[in-house]
Amino acid sequence: MAERDPRAHGLWAASAPPAPEAPPLQGHHSVDVAIVGAGYTGLSAALHLAEGGASALVLEAMDIGHGGSGRNVGLVNAGLWLMPEALPERLGPVHGPRLLQRLGEGPSVVFDLIARHGIACEAVRQGTLHCAVGESGWRELGERARQWRALGAPVELLDAPAAARLIGTPAYRGALLDQRAGTLQPLAYARGLARAALAAGASLHARSPLAALRDEGTHWRLSTAQGATVHARWVLVASNAYSAPDGPWPALHEELVRFPYFNLATRPLDERERAAILPQRQGAWDTATVLSSFRLDAAGRLVFGSVGALRGAGRAIHTGWGRRALARLFPALRGVAFEHQWYGQIGMTGDALPRLHRLARGVWSFSGYNGRGIAPGTVFGREFARLVLGQQGEADMALPVTPPRAAPLRAAREAFYEFGARAAHLARARW
Ligand SMILES: Cc1cc2nc3c(=O)[nH]c(=O)nc-3n(C[C@H](O)[C@H](O)[C@H](O)COP(=O)(O)OP(=O)(O)OC[C@H]3O[C@@H](n4cnc5c(N)ncnc54)[C@H](O)[C@@H]3O)c2cc1C
């Protein structure tokens, strides 16, 4: 995708406050920590490091929020896709409960940072609605509600009439309202984090792709594609699903299966439409295998998303499906045009768990958020800062440290997601 493609960041680029100055890196620099990637993970790390008194320098290959952080739906969720009880089962009795607790508090970390730094990013903390498709979706949400409630989480199961009132459609069997969650403007949040990190003393350089990394004994020497260099004792590789196959750590590219997801945004809805659709401004998504998500932005545009890439034949197939699906869910919006469309890549792991790697002495990475990255990225960036600042040890991290492992049949699975989503959206021609 061309870097200036309007289908990269769509509505979010059109409505976010401008990015702070982040000139390409020139010359030679020495810092405590070099960070690769200016998404939520890298920017949260830079902010918390600078606040803790460490010098941090961020290298971003493109622009702030170029990756998932500038393209997502903006649902600030607590926890992961996995059922809560799956975490202790998969991660054991130490990391399982710890990860649940830290990610359960994730939305509070995000909304508190937004408040503390005055980040203008359309933040709304009215909860999210996970909407049940049919009886199987309803059973899934019932189980999810039971598991969260056992942990004391403020979630509420809504029957069909109650869900219809909050969503604005009778199409769903019910919904799970999670009061911890909310929505924000994703690119505005990334730019706001960047501004806060700069104000705290971090350095930030866009258009400065890391090209090479050399071990110099006590330090690492990072070189950008333009020949600027950075000496750092610590390195955080926060390139996640946008890690290049030929980057300095190809293993980070190979461990994730990229899953395409697109968004379409309508014109601002009028007052009557807004009173009927998501009247309390929750963000919503559903339990379908090829899921859909929908939320309003501050101007009242409905942002409607699903699985697929808006490229090649996919563009017409997915936007055509989007028109039909929108009319089915909200008949009052039949015929409403989409003014913006964009898509990005979600990094999936085989067990739906994020990864923490020590790639070499002093070189760390977080990746694989499986479509849940706003709160986790912010929390994990802070975890890394705490590690560097000596506020927590490796044994206290939210995730166990594991080596990167290439995802089996990665390319085939990526093609399956992209072309499977096309087939699914074509097959639902009646929508
Ligand atoms: C369409 C879509 C919808 C989503 N919806 C949601 C949602 O509603 N809620 C939610 O919580 N999560 C959602 N996610 C997931 C979330 O956006 C990501 O998990 C999160 O943004 C990851 O943040 P990050 O900082 O780890 O990585 P990214 O934001 O992807 O940032 C990585 C950065 O690294 C840079 N980079 C790569 N290589 C180099 C290099 N060599 N040198 C320098 N820089 C480099 C990239 O340019 C990029 O800016 C969605 C993702 C997508 C794509």
Side-chain angles (χ1 to χ4, degrees), residues 335-411:
V336 166
F338 295 120
E339 294 186 346
H340 301 272
Q341 40 184 274
W342 68 102
Y343 75 102
Q345 307 288 348
I346 292 176
M348 310 290 279
T349 56
D351 57 6
L353 285 168
R355 298 286 189 264
L356 168 60
H357 305 307
R358 191 189 320 95
L359 298 165
R361 177 191 42 78
V363 183
W364 293 76
S365 75
F366 282 103
S367 54
Y369 301 166
N370 291 273
R372 286 290 178 91
I374 302 176
T378 309
V379 168
F380 294 149
R382 189 181 67 170
E383 290 258 309
F384 173 73
R386 288 180 171 173
L387 178 75
V388 171
L389 295 167
Q391 295 169 351
Q392 69 180 48
E394 188 181 319
D396 310 315
M397 300 294 270
L399 287 164
V401 181
T402 55
R405 287 208 180 83
L409 303 172
R410 181 180 52 75

Side-chain angles (χ1 to χ4, degrees), residues 10 50 77 96 140 153 170 175 187 253 262 291 312 331 348 357 391 426-427:
N77 284 306
E140 179 196 324
L187 184 59
H253 176 81
F262 67 88
L291 77 156
M348 310 290 279
H357 305 307
Q391 295 169 351
L426 257 181

Side-chain angles (χ1 to χ4, degrees), residues 306-317:
S306 187
V307 185
L310 300 179
R311 60 184 167 198
R315 193 173 170 197
I317 291 170

